[in-house]
């Protein structure tokens, strides 16, 4: 079945393919958010394991799907060859760091509002927190499809599909991580689901923009891949891992991280 999907995506416009792939990642987020119709809450240890899995997928995707291809397609030898990846990576980190400090947002524990002071409601702040996670994810998928459009061997449709699958898998717990806390603070199930799926709607937008930008200006591809990697690594270190380690079930979060890394690495090697 996956081979059929890859063959179909190879035959259509890469920007359209990026849109379809990121719509899939949004859809999986919506599936996770839909759990609010079945359950009012979720076991903390299960959530820790899911968040750990999310972190493992994001780290593996950053290395196998983004940084290694970025280095492989860079010109030069030795230190010169790694310069585009270093510049792009640091720029991605700086971009997410700046947004994290400026944009008001709140995490699932409701303990601390980050960013500038604002009168916005907790609902909006929580959705913005998860939306921050999804910007680099959608961008990463779109950039790979754009690179394939430019005819760069390191940016294959198979690799882009593997990345979309991995991100889709880790988007499932992200949907839960938004909808469940909103239900606990008194929102209706419909509103909790709506805001849960809304957090990932930025992924198709970022995916299309990334594909168009790279397909239009091919030399930026190594920088764009490393940019997405830097942004994702920042999210993992700053947000995902600390949230996964809040409770006593840290071993479960660690095992979830390892499993997520293995799954994403396997997908990338098998399909990419």
């Amino acid at each position: 079945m996956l081979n059929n999907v890859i063959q179909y995506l190879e035959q259509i416009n890469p920007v359209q393919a990026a849109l379809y792939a990121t719509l899939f990642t949004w859809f999986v987020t919506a599936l996770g958010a839909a759990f609010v119709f079945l359950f009012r809450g979720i076991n903390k240890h299960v959530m820790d394991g899911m968040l750990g899995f999310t972190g493992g997928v994001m780290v593996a995707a950053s290395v196998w799907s983004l940084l290694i291809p970025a280095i492989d397609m860079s010109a030069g030898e030795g230190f010169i060859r790694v310069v585009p990846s270093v510049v792009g990576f640091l720029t991605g980190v700086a971009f997410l760091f700046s947004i994290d400090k400026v944009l008001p947002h709140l995490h699932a524990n409701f303990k601390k509002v980050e960013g500038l002071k604002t009168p916005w409601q907790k609902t909006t702040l929580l959705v913005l927190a998860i939306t921050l996670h999804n910007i680099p994810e959608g961008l990463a998928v779109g950039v790979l499809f754009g690179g394939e459009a430019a005819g760069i061997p390191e940016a294959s449709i198979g690799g882009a599909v593997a990345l979309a699958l991995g991100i889709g898998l880790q988007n499932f717990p992200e949907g839960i991580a938004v909808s469940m806390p909103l239900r606990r603070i008194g929102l209706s199930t419909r509103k909790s689901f709506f805001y849960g799926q809304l957090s990932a709607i930025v992924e198709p937008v970022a995916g299309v923009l990334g594909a168009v930008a790279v397909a239009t200006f091919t030399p930026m591809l190594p920088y764009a891949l490393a940019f997405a990697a830097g942004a994702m690594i920042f999210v993992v270190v700053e947000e995902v891992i600390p949230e996964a380690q809040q409770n006593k079930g840290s071993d479960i979060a660690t095992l979830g991280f390892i499993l997520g890394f293995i799954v994403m690495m396997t997908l990338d090697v098998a399909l990419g």
Side-chain angles (χ1 to χ4, degrees), residues 88-125:
F89 189 91
L90 291 176
T91 305
V93 170
F95 175 73
L96 257 292
F97 178 82
S98 301
I99 292 181
D100 187 70
K101 296 303 178 185
V102 174
L103 185 67
H105 59 283
L106 177 69
H107 300 286
N109 55 22
F110 294 109
K111 291 181 179 179
K112 182 182 178 182
V113 176
E114 298 182 1
L116 299 177
K117 292 183 178 180
T118 176
W120 294 348
Q121 295 181 344
K122 288 182 178 180
T123 302
T124 304
L125 296 175

Side-chain angles (χ1 to χ4, degrees), residues 14-15 18 141-152 155 207 210-216 218 221:
V15 175
V141 175
V143 163
L144 279 179
F145 278 106
E148 197 278 335
I152 297 175
V212 170
V214 170
T216 304
T218 306
L221 181 56

Side-chain angles (χ1 to χ4, degrees), residues 95-195:
F95 175 73
L96 257 292
F97 178 82
S98 301
I99 292 181
D100 187 70
K101 296 303 178 185
V102 174
L103 185 67
H105 59 283
L106 177 69
H107 300 286
N109 55 22
F110 294 109
K111 291 181 179 179
K112 182 182 178 182
V113 176
E114 298 182 1
L116 299 177
K117 292 183 178 180
T118 176
W120 294 348
Q121 295 181 344
K122 288 182 178 180
T123 302
T124 304
L125 296 175
L126 180 59
V127 172
L128 285 175
I130 304 299
T131 301
L132 283 178
H133 295 196
N134 292 325
I135 293 174
E137 295 168 8
L139 180 65
V141 175
V143 163
L144 279 179
F145 278 106
E148 197 278 335
I152 297 175
E154 292 83 358
S156 66
I157 291 292
V161 169
L163 181 60
L165 283 174
I167 288 176
L169 287 174
Q170 61 93 30
N171 273 1
F172 186 80
E174 286 189 359
I176 297 175
V178 179
S179 62
M180 290 296 186
L182 293 178
R183 185 72 183 99
R184 287 200 302 270
I185 65 173
L187 266 68
S188 68
T189 53
R190 288 186 178 183
K191 284 187 176 180
S192 298
F193 167 75
F194 174 76
Y195 287 118

